[in-house]
Amino acid sequence: MSPADSSHRRAPWWFGLAGQLLQPWVRLRRDPAEPASLLKADAPVCYVIERDGFSDALILDRACREAGLPSPMQPLAGTRRRRSVFALMRRDGWLFGRKRHRKLGVAVDQLTHALKGAGERDIQIVPVSIFVGRAPNRESGWFSVLFSENWVMVGRFRRMLALLLNGRDTVVHFSEPVSLRAVLAESRELPPPRLARKLARVLRTHFQRIRAAVIGPDLSHKRTMVDDVLRAEPVRAAISAVAAKEKTSEARVWRRARKMMLEIAADYSHPVVRSVSFLLRNFWNKLYDGIAMHHFDKARAAAPGYEVVYVPCHRSHADYLLLSYQLHMSGVVPPHIAAGINLNLPLIGPLLRRGGAFFMRRTFKGNALYSVIFNEYMAKLIDRGVPMEYFIEGGRSRTGRLLAPRAGMLVMTVRAFLRAPRRPVLFQPVYIGYERLMEGKNYAGELSGQAKERESLFGLFKGLKVLRKRYGTVTINFGEPIELTPLLDAASADWRLAGNEPEVRPEWMSAAIDQLAHKIQININRAADVNPINLLALTLLATPKHAMAETDLLAQLEVTKSLLQELPYSDRITLTPMDPPGIIAHGEHMGWIRRIKHPLGDVLDVEAEHAVLLSYFRNNVLHLVAAAAWIACCFLNNRRMSRSSVQRLGHIIYPFLQGELFLAWDADGFSAQLQATMDFFVRRGLLEATGDGRMLERGPGQDDASFQLKIIARSLIQAFERYYIAVAALVKHGPHVLSAGALETTCTLTAQRLALLNELSAPEFFDKALFRGFIQKLRERHIVWTDADGKLDYDRALEDMVRDARVILSREMRHAILKITPGGDKDGNGSSPEPASPTPAEASPQGSLPLPPPEHMP
């Protein structure tokens, strides 16, 4: 059949009928509006589309007809092709078919054959991209979002649903035509099969670029990264090493590696993210009274040009969803989140994976292949500029304090950057504050010794009962970002050379990572939010029975708010605008406190089970009042003390407080904060300045000022009691007796027993991790060290610290601790390590807590 004969053939009648049936459901927008201006008038046109679909052919035919272009369904003039269109790929099957690339050899042969011996005749190849529902807005229906355009080549059934739901938002993008004769001239020496492959590769790249510009980049790394990771040289070397070690084939190890990669990789889906956002909006409205976000504009302004790593505090499983939801609703691409493998549950895991979660095992020990694969995946994410989020605490805080950071993810991030430092890395600390936690009772149980309940699908459904409660307001504060490059510059001038030997860990890296981790925690704390529940917890938990008269509570709340307002911890701290009566009313409304009516004035108290849970919210903001609490502690057992003594004592204890609470001040900054806080106490009448302002004096124990000072002190007194337990236990056993682990256990048991005897409602009082941190800080300051047998030895200053603790702790508390601490003193006679009547001359000015003169003692 000649080309002339085929030129009269048109599309079958049923094609036109299908187009008429589809027309009411589809509204087209052409880009550009007049694509005819792109074409030459004297050359035939052959269209190229991405996918071979009946609906795409109908849409293309209608768009060409409305634009006055040649129909794609007519034969291509001068060739043997029955249609003026061909597709790069097709999908077989209706529901679960797999896509496959079409071979362009036949089409290219027909087109090139038509140009042979045809003089200057040319054929214009016009790439056409079709997008159905490319960007539904936030008011669009849930199903419209689910079936909007994305990077997945869907089957016929999903395409039909997309047309029904989103067909009225269809875009047909016509690209600049490609001259086939020019392509042939450039590739004159290529045989037809290679020419077809080259043309297909060029067209695929073109379509990907257009799709990225229209609907955004492809973030589904399960499609684009699995093979890249497995092809990486470190992974291939690890596969070979494992195969040799296990005496098995590399193919078998490669399959194992691919399974690991599929277990790890995120499968980000924009339609799923948009769909889940609709569900979460109703979910948050049911759970919370609102979600407040502060300093986001600063974070957004700092982000362009950087690989952004969000590093929030970890308080709840809701953290994952809240931050991603707020970023998405603010027009920012949600980050890829490092999640524990325990969350990869049926139904939930795939949903989280499509929301950007990638999963990691709790430990990489004993599995070198997994470690190499995970590190390579992290490197690919950073190299591609994908925003990430992970929690450097390693797990959710059960106490409300920031946990000691675990550096694993930071090390992987820094090493990935050293390999390819093309895009600078920016760490964005985020503080997330709650007024009630869904996991609150579980946390209290775990701290009391109950086993942690494993995550499971059954447990998830069981936990749906939390929807019956309201959880107040959630606050998300963005802290001051941290650039990685200046930190590396300060660590080593030659840090860029470390990328040449990625397997070698530079000497400077450990210190740099520790500094980075510590700075992240500090900046999280500097962005804390103080909500009404935090203020109530700080105040009521400082009383013996967790109860106060309403008038006293109002006065104490006013003092605390004034302290935080007049001496702000940082410029990113946010404070509730509620006045003290509003704070009390909010606490009653949330069910945290109860009002007991009385003729002489109402009393507000906290029930026993709520007291344990409230300690979590006190600990959220304990660092904000640390300086004030330290000064107040100095006057618990002393009527008078000089400013210089408060400063001197503070500088000795500050390194331990700083390590536990991640305080932001250096030594000079802490000194200035102490001075400003003492001035505040004098202005408010809590202390009186005498002797030209050098001496400070509190009132008698029964006046209001002394009561308020005592409430402030008691918010931090348990930290000093823990320090005393650790020091007293070590001194009581003597040097070369206890290992660090044994000392931790002894301290924990002592604190547990003390809590039982004194009815303390703070489970973190006997948290082993806090004792471990204190002991580590003693070792860092060379007050304690390990001998050749792994036992602890210590400086004489430690014994002096036991004695000098009477400046802060009452006699009753010191004796109670010494009495229940197991073990004997270094002479083995079981006597107390604390002298009965110490004198000021016994104090060591270098290492101990210097005592004030006797006349300043109570």
Side-chain angles (χ1 to χ4, degrees), residues 541 545-546 594 605-614 761:
L541 295 185
K545 293 189 176 181
H546 309 141
R594 64 177 178 177
D605 85 330
V606 180
E607 297 181 63
E609 63 171 319
H610 287 162
V612 176
L613 301 177
L614 268 183
S761 59

Side-chain angles (χ1 to χ4, degrees), residues 735-747:
H736 312 292
V737 175
L738 294 176
S739 65
L743 179 59
E744 288 176 19
T745 301
T746 300
C747 293

Side-chain angles (χ1 to χ4, degrees), residues 10-50:
R10 294 290 183 266
W13 63 270
W14 49 265
F15 186 87
L17 177 62
Q20 293 178 7
L21 293 175
L22 185 65
Q23 186 167 353
W25 301 93
V26 176
R27 183 180 302 138
L28 300 183
R29 182 169 68 84
R30 298 185 304 276
D31 182 20
E34 299 296 335
S37 61
L38 302 174
L39 306 180
K40 297 177 182 178
D42 57 345
V45 176
C46 182
Y47 304 98
V48 184
I49 55 178
E50 241 183 317

Side-chain angles (χ1 to χ4, degrees), residues 279-357:
L279 298 177
L280 286 177
R281 183 184 304 172
N282 296 327
F283 185 69
W284 300 143
N285 289 338
K286 188 171 182 63
L287 285 182
Y288 300 117
D289 297 329
I291 302 174
M293 192 162 66
H294 302 112
H295 311 302
F296 173 69
D297 291 341
K298 297 177 183 177
R300 190 205 293 267
Y306 286 91
E307 157 67 20
V308 180
V309 179
Y310 296 93
V311 278
C313 59
H314 201 8
R315 304 276 162 80
S316 167
H317 278 318
D319 299 341
Y320 300 98
L321 300 176
L322 279 166
L323 182 55
S324 293
Y325 173 81
Q326 286 298 108
L327 290 173
H328 173 72
M329 298 304 291
S330 302
V332 176
V333 176
H336 278 44
I337 306 169
I341 195 66
N342 56 313
L343 295 179
N344 192 18
L345 303 171
L347 302 180
I348 301 302
L351 190 63
L352 293 176
R353 198 183 293 276
R354 284 167 175 77

Side-chain angles (χ1 to χ4, degrees), residues 589-600:
H589 173 72
M590 291 287 296
W592 282 118
I593 60 176
R594 64 177 178 177
R595 180 181 294 271
I596 301 174
K597 296 287 187 179
H598 194 275
L600 299 181

Side-chain angles (χ1 to χ4, degrees), residues 656-800:
F656 306 103
L657 287 177
Q658 185 182 36
E660 180 174 323
L661 300 177
F662 298 100
L663 300 178
W665 306 292
D666 57 13
D668 292 338
F670 184 63
S671 179
Q673 185 72 12
L674 289 179
Q675 194 65 43
T677 306
M678 286 185 279
D679 292 340
F680 172 84
F681 283 164
V682 171
R683 289 197 305 272
R684 295 300 301 246
L686 302 184
L687 293 173
E688 181 182 351
T690 61
D692 297 329
R694 292 176 297 176
M695 299 297 298
L696 297 175
E697 183 175 350
R698 66 166 169 83
Q702 63 271 22
D703 71 352
D704 290 343
S706 294
F707 176 75
Q708 291 178 353
L709 204 63
K710 186 180 294 184
I711 295 298
I712 295 173
R714 284 179 175 167
S715 62
L716 197 62
I717 194 66
Q718 288 180 2
F720 303 127
E721 291 171 355
R722 272 189 284 102
Y723 298 165
Y724 186 72
I725 288 173
V727 173
L730 186 55
V731 172
K732 196 170 184 180
H733 283 84
H736 312 292
V737 175
L738 294 176
S739 65
L743 179 59
E744 288 176 19
T745 301
T746 300
C747 293
T748 303
L749 294 174
T750 303
Q752 286 176 341
R753 184 168 178 81
L754 189 66
L756 289 172
L757 294 173
N758 291 273
E759 297 183 358
L760 297 178
S761 59
E764 84 278 357
F765 180 67
F766 45 83
D767 184 5
K768 200 170 187 177
L770 294 178
F771 285 110
R772 185 181 305 122
F774 176 68
I775 296 168
Q776 178 60 31
K777 185 61 68 172
L778 288 173
R779 295 171 75 169
E780 290 177 6
R781 298 186 68 78
H782 307 292
I783 299 174
V784 168
W785 58 88
T786 304
D787 64 17
D789 297 324
K791 306 299 183 181
L792 294 177
D793 194 4
Y794 51 84
D795 188 86
R796 173 62 189 272
L798 201 70
E799 296 178 349
D800 296 334

